Amino acid sequence: MEAPELTEKISDCLREGNVEEIKEMLSSIHTSEIATLLQSLDQEDRSKVLNSLDTETASQIILELEKEHRQEILSELDHEKIADIVEEMDSDDAADVISELPEDTAKVVLEKMPPEDVREVESLLQYPRDTAGGIMQAELVQVIHDSTVRDAINWIRLIADEVQDFNEIYVTDESDRLLGIVSLKRLILANPMTRVGEMMEPVAVTVTPYVDQEEVANIFKKYDIVSLPVVDERGRLLGRITADDVIDVITEEASEDIYRFAGAGEYVHPIYTPTLTRIKLRLPWLFLTLFGELFIAFVIAHSFKPTLQRVVVLAAFMPAIMATGGNVGLQATTVVIRGLGMGTITPGQALKVIVSEMRLGFSLGIICGIIAALIGALIGIHEPEVIKIALAIFIAMTSATIATAFMGAAEPLALHKLKFDPAAACGPFVTMFNDIFGSIVYLLIATVIF
Amino acid sequence: MEAPELTEKISDCLREGNVEEIKEMLSSIHTSEIATLLQSLDQEDRSKVLNSLDTETASQIILELEKEHRQEILSELDHEKIADIVEEMDSDDAADVISELPEDTAKVVLEKMPPEDVREVESLLQYPRDTAGGIMQAELVQVIHDSTVRDAINWIRLIADEVQDFNEIYVTDESDRLLGIVSLKRLILANPMTRVGEMMEPVAVTVTPYVDQEEVANIFKKYDIVSLPVVDERGRLLGRITADDVIDVITEEASEDIYRFAGAGEYVHPIYTPTLTRIKLRLPWLFLTLFGELFIAFVIAHSFKPTLQRVVVLAAFMPAIMATGGNVGLQATTVVIRGLGMGTITPGQALKVIVSEMRLGFSLGIICGIIAALIGALIGIHEPEVIKIALAIFIAMTSATIATAFMGAAEPLALHKLKFDPAAACGPFVTMFNDIFGSIVYLLIATVIF
């Protein structure tokens, strides 16, 4: 059944109060589709549908919702129901959802949860959301090094329901310090009386909880792993990060890069988000552009009017110089931001990268400059001072591309050095710098030449 | 030891011919770091280092190299060595590496490999690289439904060396049709005499081999899974895709989106890639911009010279209109491309999304238009026809933002509808369209008004 058809059927059932049939219909579709469906219903119907589902399904759906919808939908449920739903979740998801709740709701919900779960969730809540601690889960299988394989299997039997998916067990000493790992594959094949400490493999890599999630993602990529233990500074096991969480992190970080890049703020769904929210997200970047460009307008009107008045055709080439320079700068920024993000460009290579981008910008500028000057000469063939026009175009184009290549490469590297996110607003800033620099240099050169 | 220090030490050892010490030094660092190190050595040293390592380590390093380096380094090794190295790899990696080799080398290498491995690799080579078949591996654990748990464990014992990492076994019928899955966790806890067919769980989702890799990544995100079976159209098990491969896919696709977006071609390392290669990658996008903007120059010089000559200050506001419109268009494009890529915008929502972006573009245009017109009036306060200037700015700004919002949203949706990659070149095209539209509409309006 297609989504719109399903929505209609559900609405029908809701009107008729036929909860059983809704349950029946929803049982056959994936929770992520139910989530999408919920987002298209109005508040009343939404609550009815959610209340008709069992807690486990409801908890999965809540996790699939987009953040704003999750907050909205949870605010419509009573605290008891929220506590039940959150209890069903893995500790990392539970912590995320609770951190999104209004403070007083969170407090009441935590009071209604079993103390054991609360301890786990609270220990996770202490870490920022975008760190290893923020994305790790507390559920894992931990055994002491002198346990036998049989002990370990018995332990797994006991906690099998609580720890959902795992493919290795963590071997620690008596003070929880991580010593090694035994894969389930090895555990299955082992003699039941072997001690896990004797058969464990060394841990390839661990992280501490305050490591940034982008760094965590890079570790997964570099080591080709599907789970990663998190330990404190004394090596004690705190939790584990699984590949599915990292997939979410990578998607989220890539989107963040792209939105910042385009000056689009952050991702919100174009249909489900109120226009006012979207205006607020986008307007700051537009203002950056707008005021930068109005500054250019002011400078041109104030200082270069005589030049333009004398050779009005100069104005025709301003867009070409600004756009080409802007493009070169954006290319440099993209390559550097992405390289830093993926870890293929190291901060130690900063100088080399900047030089390399400037050399490339210069080459590109020469090529584009020659072409633009030639075409400029053709277009301005009837102008009395056509050679000077072509010369101004060429010099301005080349200067603009070198300058923006430098800015484009240096800005993200500098931000990275200063521990800021290199992707932060580089796109719009580089474009603005370039436009101001390109147009003013062009008119300055033209004024000098004429 | 830091990378430059290590490189120097290795160079010293190479000069002294001290292969043992190199081995010793490299044994303690991760293969991905050795790969980075290799890329900074010259050809002769590189071969020496690679030849000093055991085949397994060498094969891991080869996989860690960036593509151009891998091709270069492999071309320096003899076919026997390449065959040994490739044999160590999982079938999916082996197929990737072989597909990158020159055809005659690939043929010789395949001849030198064991027939069993060749069959696996050849069956993978038939699928395009960016499909489920291209990223799946043939190594997996498959058991017939009437096997007992004990049979399954014995089978795992037999193939444990060949199948590296797995956390579930696939249950099939006699003709390889996938029936269900048993996790290792359940297998460990089960009675040895239970039949796997009785304890298996249903398969949540499968893909066929020609499904696009971006679609595969979206399935991993949607279902929060860490491995996915690939079956043919008759449901027969062909292979499995693991989360670490998907992490690579997501990173690759996100980079592709970003580069296309910025008109930077594809990612190549700024230091390790020859300038000429990089010029070739970037120049086409620059030419797109350049010729678009030179066309604008031509139209301005040809048709709007009288208008500009009369009111030269109009030229000062051209950049502001072009840049603001460009920004709005880029914002719309970004949101739509990313939404399509992540599956949060469905093609069925196309019309709604376009309307929503145009409404937003209009709102943003009104706000920016009023500000620009007011500042334009201030800057042009001494002009005799200042009101007309402000009016031209306002109308042009608003028209430009609606038009680019439409283009920005509609272009990726149209490309997606036509089965092209929506990210393809949208950034540069939208910018160019906007610049041409914005500047010409502005001058047209100005010409009408004056």
Side-chain angles (χ1 to χ4, degrees):
Chain A
M1 214 179 322
E2 281 298 305
E5 209 181 315
L6 189 66
T7 316
E8 211 170 293
K9 271 223 157 172
I10 301 262
S11 302
D12 284 350
C13 293
L14 283 167
R15 232 172 296 121
E16 297 160 14
N18 197 340
V19 177
E20 277 314 306
E21 200 176 328
I22 296 179
K23 261 194 194 170
E24 172 74 31
M25 269 191 285
L26 294 184
S27 67
S28 63
I29 59 175
H30 191 263
T31 47
S32 71
E33 263 137 37
I34 305 182
T36 312
L37 176 74
L38 273 189
Q39 293 175 348
S40 66
L41 294 178
D42 63 27
Q43 184 184 328
E44 200 186 336
D45 288 351
R46 211 149 58 187
S47 304
K48 275 192 204 156
V49 172
L50 261 186
N51 283 319
S52 81
L53 296 164
D54 61 283
T55 339
E56 201 188 325
T57 313
S59 101
Q60 277 165 27
I61 293 171
I62 293 291
L63 290 175
E64 301 276 359
L65 290 169
E66 293 190 37
K67 194 176 153 190
E68 314 88 62
H69 273 85
R70 180 158 55 229
Q71 290 173 322
E72 202 181 323
I73 288 177
L74 285 176
S75 74
E76 297 157 9
L77 299 176
D78 60 43
H79 296 161
E80 198 75 49
K81 180 90 184 174
I82 301 180
D84 287 349
I85 287 177
V86 169
E87 244 187 271
E88 288 286 337
M89 298 176 183
D90 281 344
S91 53
D92 54 337
D93 296 328
D96 283 353
V97 169
I98 288 176
S99 73
E100 285 168 14
L101 294 174
E103 213 170 305
D104 47 335
T105 315
K107 223 179 130 197
V108 180
V109 168
L110 280 172
E111 272 165 20
K112 291 187 191 291
M113 282 168 62
E116 169 65 26
D117 287 4
V118 172
R119 247 197 321 278
E120 270 182 14
V121 167
E122 278 184 339
S123 77
L124 294 181
L125 279 175
Q126 66 183 294
Y127 305 113
R129 271 189 85 136
D130 55 355
T131 61
I135 55 172
M136 75 181 183
Q137 51 178 276
E139 291 88 354
L140 47 74
V141 184
Q142 174 183 355
V143 290
I144 305 288
H145 63 100
D146 57 6
S147 319
T148 61
V149 167
R150 178 173 293 160
D151 297 335
I153 291 177
N154 284 334
W155 178 233
I156 291 175
R157 201 181 305 278
L158 271 172
I159 58 168
D161 281 342
E162 201 194 318
V163 187
Q164 299 279 327
D165 297 303
F166 58 95
N167 35 13
E168 68 246 304
I169 61 175
Y170 296 105
V171 182
T172 64
D173 67 11
E174 287 75 4
S175 12
D176 293 336
R177 269 194 294 264
L178 183 61
L179 300 175
I181 282 176
V182 177
S183 69
L184 288 191
K185 169 178 142 188
R186 284 174 63 97
L187 202 66
I188 272 185
L189 303 179
N191 179 325
M193 297 320 293
T194 311
R195 292 190 191 281
V196 290
E198 287 160 22
M199 59 182 291
M200 70 188 180
E201 288 171 295
V203 191
V205 55
T206 61
V207 285
T208 47
Y210 288 101
V211 169
D212 186 83
Q213 63 175 5
E214 195 162 14
E215 176 72 29
V216 170
N218 284 338
I219 291 174
F220 269 77
K221 282 179 228 163
K222 182 168 169 181
Y223 290 87
D224 270 334
I225 48 180
V226 293
S227 75
L228 175 67
V230 182
V231 297
D232 67 12
E233 67 289 347
R234 291 165 62 190
R236 286 176 306 196
L237 188 61
L238 298 175
R240 65 178 172 133
I241 299 169
T242 48
D244 54 322
D245 296 324
V246 171
I247 287 178
D248 294 342
V249 167
I250 294 175
T251 310
E252 194 186 300
E253 294 275 342
S255 296
E256 244 183 62
D257 280 9
I258 297 179
Y259 297 128
R260 284 186 176 163
F261 218 83
E266 57 180 275
Y267 181 79
V268 290
H269 197 288
I271 299 180
Y272 304 134
T273 318
T275 306
L276 198 64
T277 313
R278 299 168 71 211
I279 290 181
K280 278 190 206 148
L281 275 172
R282 296 198 191 172
L283 209 49
W285 305 111
L286 278 183
F287 276 173
L288 184 72
T289 309
L290 183 64
F291 290 111
E293 303 289 337
L294 288 174
F295 172 72
I296 299 175
F298 170 73
V299 175
I300 294 177
H302 190 263
S303 310
F304 296 111
K305 220 173 122 185
T307 309
L308 281 177
Q309 220 135 24
R310 229 191 103 200
V311 197
V312 76
V313 80
L314 278 173
F317 293 94
M318 243 164 40
I321 288 156
M322 290 165 64
T324 310
N327 218 327
V328 168
L330 209 58
Q331 290 176 337
T333 301
T334 315
V335 167
V336 174
I337 289 181
R338 203 62 196 150
L340 284 170
M342 297 193 302
T344 54
I345 293 179
T346 60
Q349 295 176 324
L351 204 65
K352 274 195 190 170
V353 169
I354 293 175
V355 170
S356 145
E357 283 299 329
M358 285 178 74
R359 198 171 44 217
L360 183 59
F362 183 66
S363 315
L364 294 169
I366 296 268
I367 300 173
C368 293
I370 291 174
I371 295 174
L374 286 177
I375 295 186
L378 274 178
I379 293 177
I381 196 94
H382 302 301
E383 299 288 325
E385 299 172 295
V386 58
I387 301 297
K388 286 187 181 174
I389 295 173
L391 192 64
I393 292 173
F394 175 76
I395 299 178
M397 184 78 86
T398 322
S399 329
T401 50
I402 301 182
T404 51
F406 168 76
M407 268 298 287
E411 194 190 337
L413 285 163
L415 286 175
H416 188 264
K417 183 98 190 164
L418 298 169
K419 309 261 177 230
F420 287 108
D421 183 340
C426 267
F429 274 114
V430 167
T431 308
M432 200 189 64
F433 163 83
N434 159 72
D435 283 0
I436 295 178
F437 182 91
S439 56
I440 292 175
V441 159
Y442 172 56
L443 291 172
L444 213 55
I445 290 167
T447 308
V448 170
I449 291 181
F450 288 101
Chain B
M1 211 177 327
E2 282 296 305
E5 209 181 314
L6 188 67
T7 316
E8 212 170 294
K9 273 222 156 173
I10 300 261
S11 302
D12 285 350
C13 293
L14 283 167
R15 231 173 295 120
E16 296 160 14
N18 196 340
V19 176
E20 277 313 307
E21 202 176 327
I22 296 179
K23 262 193 192 170
E24 171 75 30
M25 267 192 285
L26 294 183
S27 67
S28 63
I29 59 175
H30 190 263
T31 47
S32 72
E33 263 137 38
I34 306 182
T36 312
L37 176 74
L38 273 190
Q39 293 175 348
S40 66
L41 294 177
D42 63 26
Q43 185 185 329
E44 200 185 336
D45 288 352
R46 213 149 57 185
S47 304
K48 275 193 203 155
V49 171
L50 262 187
N51 283 319
S52 81
L53 295 164
D54 61 282
T55 338
E56 201 188 326
T57 315
S59 100
Q60 277 165 26
I61 293 170
I62 292 290
L63 289 176
E64 300 276 359
L65 289 169
E66 294 189 36
K67 193 176 155 190
E68 314 86 63
H69 273 85
R70 179 158 55 228
Q71 291 172 322
E72 202 181 324
I73 289 176
L74 284 176
S75 72
E76 296 157 10
L77 299 175
D78 59 44
H79 296 160
E80 199 76 48
K81 181 90 184 172
I82 300 180
D84 288 349
I85 287 178
V86 169
E87 243 188 273
E88 289 286 336
M89 298 176 183
D90 280 345
S91 52
D92 54 338
D93 296 327
D96 284 351
V97 170
I98 288 177
S99 72
E100 286 169 13
L101 293 173
E103 213 169 306
D104 47 335
T105 315
K107 222 178 131 196
V108 180
V109 168
L110 280 173
E111 271 165 20
K112 290 187 190 293
M113 283 170 61
E116 171 64 28
D117 288 4
V118 172
R119 246 198 319 277
E120 270 181 14
V121 167
E122 280 185 337
S123 77
L124 294 180
L125 278 174
Q126 65 183 297
Y127 306 113
R129 271 189 85 137
D130 56 355
T131 61
I135 56 173
M136 75 181 182
Q137 52 177 278
E139 291 88 355
L140 48 75
V141 184
Q142 174 184 354
V143 290
I144 305 287
H145 64 99
D146 57 6
S147 320
T148 61
V149 167
R150 176 172 294 158
D151 296 337
I153 291 176
N154 283 335
W155 177 234
I156 291 174
R157 200 180 307 278
L158 271 172
I159 58 167
D161 282 343
E162 200 195 317
V163 188
Q164 298 280 326
D165 296 303
F166 58 95
N167 36 13
E168 67 244 307
I169 61 174
Y170 296 106
V171 182
T172 64
D173 66 11
E174 287 75 5
S175 15
D176 293 335
R177 270 195 293 264
L178 183 61
L179 300 175
I181 281 176
V182 177
S183 69
L184 288 191
K185 171 177 139 187
R186 283 174 64 98
L187 202 66
I188 274 186
L189 303 179
N191 179 324
M193 297 321 292
T194 310
R195 293 192 189 281
V196 291
E198 287 159 22
M199 60 182 291
M200 69 189 181
E201 288 171 294
V203 191
V205 55
T206 60
V207 283
T208 48
Y210 289 101
V211 168
D212 186 82
Q213 63 175 4
E214 195 163 14
E215 176 71 30
V216 170
N218 285 339
I219 291 175
F220 269 78
K221 281 179 228 162
K222 182 168 169 182
Y223 290 87
D224 270 332
I225 48 179
V226 294
S227 75
L228 174 66
V230 181
V231 297
D232 67 13
E233 66 290 343
R234 290 165 61 189
R236 286 176 306 198
L237 188 61
L238 298 174
R240 63 178 175 136
I241 299 170
T242 49
D244 55 322
D245 296 325
V246 171
I247 288 178
D248 294 341
V249 167
I250 294 175
T251 311
E252 194 186 299
E253 294 274 343
S255 296
E256 245 183 60
D257 280 8
I258 297 179
Y259 297 129
R260 285 187 174 162
F261 219 82
E266 58 180 276
Y267 182 79
V268 290
H269 197 289
I271 299 180
Y272 305 134
T273 318
T275 306
L276 198 63
T277 312
R278 298 169 69 212
I279 291 181
K280 278 190 206 147
L281 275 173
R282 295 197 192 174
L283 211 48
W285 305 112
L286 279 183
F287 276 174
L288 184 71
T289 309
L290 184 65
F291 289 111
E293 304 289 337
L294 289 174
F295 171 71
I296 298 174
F298 169 74
V299 174
I300 295 177
H302 189 264
S303 310
F304 297 111
K305 221 173 119 183
T307 310
L308 282 177
Q309 221 135 23
R310 231 190 101 199
V311 197
V312 77
V313 80
L314 279 174
F317 293 93
M318 242 164 40
I321 287 156
M322 289 165 65
T324 310
N327 217 327
V328 168
L330 210 57
Q331 290 177 336
T333 301
T334 315
V335 167
V336 174
I337 289 181
R338 203 62 197 149
L340 284 171
M342 298 192 302
T344 55
I345 293 179
T346 59
Q349 296 176 323
L351 203 65
K352 274 193 189 171
V353 169
I354 294 176
V355 170
S356 147
E357 283 301 328
M358 284 178 74
R359 198 169 46 216
L360 183 59
F362 182 66
S363 315
L364 294 168
I366 296 269
I367 300 173
C368 293
I370 291 174
I371 296 173
L374 286 176
I375 296 185
L378 275 176
I379 294 177
I381 196 96
H382 302 301
E383 298 288 326
E385 298 172 296
V386 57
I387 300 296
K388 285 186 181 174
I389 294 174
L391 192 64
I393 292 174
F394 175 76
I395 298 177
M397 184 78 86
T398 322
S399 329
T401 49
I402 300 183
T404 51
F406 168 74
M407 268 297 289
E411 194 189 337
L413 285 164
L415 286 175
H416 188 264
K417 183 98 189 166
L418 298 169
K419 309 263 176 226
F420 288 108
D421 183 343
C426 268
F429 274 114
V430 168
T431 309
M432 200 190 64
F433 164 83
N434 159 72
D435 283 0
I436 295 179
F437 183 91
S439 56
I440 292 176
V441 159
Y442 172 56
L443 291 172
L444 213 55
I445 290 167
T447 308
V448 171
I449 292 181
F450 288 101

